[in-house]
Amino acid sequence: MKRGWAIGLLSGGMLIVTAIAAFLYAPHWHPSDTSYPAQGLDISHHQGVIDWDKVAATSEVDFVFMKATEGGDHVDSRFAINWAEAKRVGIPRGAYHFFTLCRPGKEQAANFVKIVPADPAALPPVVDLEYLGNCSSRPKLENFQQELHDFLSIVEAHSGKPAILYLTREFDEAYAVSAKNDRPLWLRSIIIKPSFGARNWSIWQMSQFRSIDGIEGRVDWNAASLDFARTLPPRITP
């Protein structure tokens, strides 16, 4: 019994050490640069004031997507400065909109195109489709699809590029977004490669705990597929 207790204590200690090691390593973890040569950030006002010169000083950040708008009237408080600063330091940048389930798609699109410049050099616009932080409304599938279609039509005409669909598994399964909308996919699946979506993903969000010099706290980290990576403009040194 004493030996069994000792073995159990040792095993428990090893688990604790492993957990601590994983916690300490997590901010630095990212998938292989060989397999995924283009990797980057997505940010919002939650990251606070960013030192873009420090971000640009690392060779790890190949692109950045930043929150611009949400719903029919909300504007991210850091968007304008982040948009200008990312361009200044030469990091390819794109804007995203958090799509709410309780506002018409046309209203949401009007909010986005009012705030985000029609810049041919920018990355494609992104529509963020997830339940977390969304309103409690759960429209019928056909109603949602119509509102999303209205949103995409306006935003894509403004940008001149097909939008990227950011999706969580539960949202995609509920509304068949990837199956019914032939657009590039940005799929969230922490650490493990995505196993959902109607086709291969273009961007994989694999971490929400990356640490990057110039940004206080943790930040989301993403990898581009090889096909999408080929479409990215190169970073420009100011």
Side-chain angles (χ1 to χ4, degrees), residues 108-129:
Q108 299 192 57
N111 186 23
F112 184 85
V113 302
K114 179 181 178 181
I115 299 303
V116 181
D119 182 358
L123 300 177
V126 177
V127 54
D128 182 347
L129 299 165

Side-chain angles (χ1 to χ4, degrees), residues 1 22 36 78 99 138 142 178 222:
M1 293 292 291
Y36 303 101
R78 297 296 302 174
F99 192 94
R138 295 292 183 266
E142 59 270 20
S178 61
N222 308 271

Side-chain angles (χ1 to χ4, degrees), residues 136-151:
S136 59
S137 175
R138 295 292 183 266
K140 293 181 179 179
L141 186 149
E142 59 270 20
N143 293 340
F144 164 78
Q145 289 290 345
Q146 183 59 56
E147 298 301 340
L148 178 60
H149 177 268
D150 291 345
F151 176 87

Side-chain angles (χ1 to χ4, degrees), residues 201-216:
W201 49 268
S202 295
I203 306 175
W204 165 30
Q205 186 184 77
M206 87 290 291
S207 170
Q208 58 188 19
F209 32 71
R210 189 77 200 275
S211 178
I212 291 292
D213 196 24
I215 301 178
E216 186 174 348

Side-chain angles (χ1 to χ4, degrees), residues 46-51 210-219:
H46 291 295
Q47 276 64 55
V49 177
I50 295 174
D51 187 329
R210 189 77 200 275
S211 178
I212 291 292
D213 196 24
I215 301 178
E216 186 174 348
R218 301 295 181 251
V219 68

Side-chain angles (χ1 to χ4, degrees), residues 31 34 158 165 170 181 192:
T34 301
H158 175 73
L165 308 174
E170 59 269 26
N181 299 273
I192 301 171

